[in-house]
Amino acid sequence: MTSANTSQNILDLQGITKDYLLGKTKVSALRGVDLSVAAGEFTVVTGPSGSGKTTLLNIIGCLDRATSGSYKLDGEEVGNRDFDALAEVRNRKIGFIFQNFNLIPVLNVAENIEFPCVVRRGGEGKAALRQRVEALAEAVGLKPYLHHRPDELSGGQRQRVAIARALITEPKLVLADEPTANLDSSTSEQIIDLMLRLNRENGVTFLFSTHDPRVVSHARRALHIQDGKMLQGEFRGAAPHAHAQAS
Ligand SMILES: Nc1ncnc2c1ncn2[C@@H]1O[C@H](COP(=O)(O)OP(=O)(O)O)[C@@H](O)[C@H]1O
Ligand SMILES: [Mg+2]
């Protein structure tokens, strides 16, 4: 398979603004954000509470629309699409990881992971899908837990399920809004190291938000947002090598 789009950025945002109306008061949550992300990057957006991280990720994830500005996802201008068209783009191109995991409590691990593909009704047979589910469960360290339900798992294990679920549709981009906010610090580091490994091994582009400095220190690219604007001076560098996993 060849892609017509290999040299393009996955994300190109220019002059993105977002205003919310609270009664008659306008809240300017984003005030002209420019952001480009190349395929395969691992980028973290940091900023204090209320700085606009969730608003930005919701727009990038096609869950919400900008008030103004241009947004190209994988080379397609999507900023002007209506909500139905955005949903279609979202299902095709984006995987999500949420801070509260958002697993379906009555489904077991395997069923949670395969859920986005079942909803989508692609042409893939059950057995082939199950094989991909098992491979992903293995990749996130959950192979022995395929038949467990979320309430039988720790927070870190639940987030691993959510990561596998975000990857099962083979999205161009995985978005994670404060994915470690509900995890203790050593579990947070393991989750970030897992995302780094998946990024390195599978080339999946990750963009996530956090205000945890320990998490930021693992990213290769860190951007800072404050009062709805990106601050100058992003950090780019080699991520420290993940500690060798004892297993
Ligand atoms: N649905 C909404 N209605 C009104 N104001 C909102 C809404 N969502 C977010 N805001 C405001 O927009 C700003 C940015 O919020 P948010 O994107 O949630 O920031 P962060 O995720 O960095 O905490 C804040 O001032 C917040 O109060
Ligand atoms: Mg937020």
Side-chain angles (χ1 to χ4, degrees):
M1 264 195 324
T2 54
S3 163
N5 205 24
T6 42
S7 61
Q8 261 168 332
N9 288 328
I10 288 279
L11 294 180
D12 271 305
L13 283 75
Q14 263 174 6
I16 292 290
T17 71
K18 177 68 181 180
D19 300 331
Y20 293 111
L21 271 184
L22 268 184
K24 288 193 171 166
T25 313
K26 188 174 87 174
V27 178
S28 297
L30 297 177
R31 306 163 186 255
V33 169
D34 300 334
L35 172 64
S36 291
V37 173
E41 276 197 291
F42 190 93
T43 306
V44 50
V45 176
T46 69
S49 182
S51 57
K53 301 182 297 298
T54 296
T55 302
L56 180 63
L57 264 66
N58 285 349
I59 290 169
I60 292 174
C62 299
L63 292 165
D64 201 356
R65 297 177 60 180
T67 303
S68 66
S70 150
Y71 171 25
K72 283 198 185 115
L73 171 62
D74 196 26
E76 274 182 82
E77 178 65 50
V78 294
N80 50 14
R81 302 282 173 86
D82 63 25
F83 279 104
D84 285 346
L86 285 179
E88 193 271 323
V89 173
R90 180 167 75 233
N91 292 335
R92 225 169 358 105
K93 301 209 165 164
I94 299 172
F96 291 92
I97 299 165
F98 300 94
Q99 71 179 59
N100 53 1
F101 322 130
N102 282 7
L103 302 179
I104 299 173
V106 297
L107 300 184
N108 68 28
V109 166
E111 292 162 340
N112 266 285
I113 295 174
E114 74 185 5
F115 189 71
C117 289
V118 172
V119 171
R120 231 189 210 193
R121 298 171 192 276
E124 185 175 26
K126 258 189 170 172
L129 178 56
R130 239 341 130 96
Q131 248 181 10
R132 293 198 305 117
V133 166
E134 288 184 14
L136 269 175
E138 175 115 59
V140 301
L142 284 180
K143 193 80 184 287
Y145 298 92
L146 280 169
H147 301 290
H148 286 59
R149 291 215 314 236
D151 64 1
E152 300 171 308
L153 304 176
S154 69
Q157 288 171 327
R158 289 180 201 186
Q159 198 56 305
R160 287 167 189 271
V161 178
I163 290 170
R165 180 186 56 185
L167 293 172
I168 193 73
T169 57
E170 301 181 338
K172 294 263 180 177
L173 173 68
V174 173
L175 294 175
D177 193 12
E178 307 217 28
T180 62
N182 289 318
L183 302 174
D184 63 57
S185 59
S186 82
T187 308
S188 297
E189 294 199 26
Q190 287 166 16
I191 289 294
I192 294 302
D193 285 343
L194 171 62
M195 295 203 285
L196 273 168
R197 178 164 63 75
L198 293 166
N199 165 260
R200 206 168 48 229
E201 289 175 0
N202 305 343
V204 187
T205 309
F206 279 90
L207 178 73
F208 64 100
S209 70
T210 185
H211 59 249
D212 181 346
R214 256 182 302 238
V215 169
V216 177
S217 70
H218 287 240
R220 284 189 282 274
R221 180 185 183 198
L223 304 161
H224 303 278
I225 190 168
Q226 199 173 314
D227 297 328
K229 294 196 95 162
M230 289 290 186
L231 299 183
Q232 293 299 309
E234 64 180 60
F235 162 85
R236 260 180 198 274
H241 279 294
H243 304 294
Q245 300 226 327
S247 67

